[in-house]
Amino acid sequence: MWYAHHPGRRVRQVLGDGAVLLWTAGWAAAAVVAHRLISVQARPAPHPRPRIPLLGPRMNGTLHDVALAGDRLASAAPPGAGPARALALLAAVALFVVPVGLLLLLWLPRRLRWVRQAAAARDLAATEDGRELLALRALLRPLDEVGRTADTLPDSTPGSLAESWREGDPATLDALAEAELVRLGLRVA
């Protein structure tokens, strides 16, 4: 189970997952662009060859030919060769890994924890003992949540919920288990 049954919670989960995917795709695109820009900058550009004063036109022509041969050799090397290529790759990887890694460190554990909790709650809700455990879990929630659950039962208070749970009152157990399932965004069976 990857998404909640409750429409509001499911929409938030889908939007959150979509935002993570867009964030990842955006940083992947930025990394590719950075890699290409660094690789292009690493290629030697042909330089205009100024004339050297006091040398005749013949010597200037020879030096110009040697410089052109050097440019041809440099352009024959693979683009971004050597350290520049490694720098381009390292910069692109860092540009992708840092922001995406930080987001995944924050988002992924929470998302996976919900998936585990929802699957366990769904399985527990199918058994009588499991419903008792879900009811206990609902009693261990913050007091304001326990108070709201108590308001759903006639003549009930948070303290009487605990007492009814200890006695195994079916209506109280069902109400508490249902409150825990609703908290997780799951459909009540």
Side-chain angles (χ1 to χ4, degrees):
M1 160 177 300
W2 195 248
Y3 293 103
H5 297 139
H6 186 270
R9 186 163 196 155
R10 182 176 40 234
V11 167
R12 287 192 306 273
Q13 288 173 334
V14 168
L15 290 175
D17 292 353
V20 168
L21 287 174
L22 285 175
W23 178 266
T24 303
W27 284 107
V32 168
V33 167
H35 181 269
R36 289 184 179 163
L37 286 175
I38 293 171
S39 295
V40 166
Q41 291 295 325
R43 287 190 202 135
H47 299 290
R49 306 296 169 194
R51 294 186 138 318
I52 300 174
L54 303 176
L55 295 179
R58 193 169 173 187
M59 186 56 112
N60 268 331
T62 305
L63 290 176
H64 183 67
D65 291 342
V66 169
L68 284 176
D71 282 346
R72 276 187 251 131
L73 283 174
S75 65
R85 187 176 201 174
L87 174 65
L89 183 62
L90 181 64
V93 167
L95 189 62
F96 177 76
V97 168
V98 170
V100 172
L102 288 175
L103 178 67
L104 289 179
L105 282 174
L106 297 173
W107 170 81
L108 194 58
R110 294 184 71 205
R111 190 71 175 95
L112 292 177
R113 183 174 51 245
W114 182 88
V115 169
R116 284 192 319 271
Q117 287 179 352
R122 184 190 62 216
D123 294 343
L124 288 171
T127 66
E128 189 62 37
D129 291 344
R131 289 186 69 76
E132 286 183 31
L133 189 57
L134 286 173
L136 175 61
R137 175 74 186 241
L139 279 176
L140 297 176
R141 303 297 311 153
L143 292 177
D144 59 333
E145 291 180 31
V146 176
R148 283 193 298 272
T149 304
D151 292 341
T152 63
L153 293 171
D155 301 326
S156 186
T157 64
S160 67
L161 284 180
E163 183 180 342
S164 297
W165 175 82
R166 280 192 304 271
E167 293 171 358
D169 178 46
T172 303
L173 291 176
D174 287 344
L176 288 169
E178 183 177 314
E180 185 63 15
L181 291 172
V182 166
R183 184 189 70 81
L184 289 169
L186 300 177
R187 192 175 304 122
V188 179

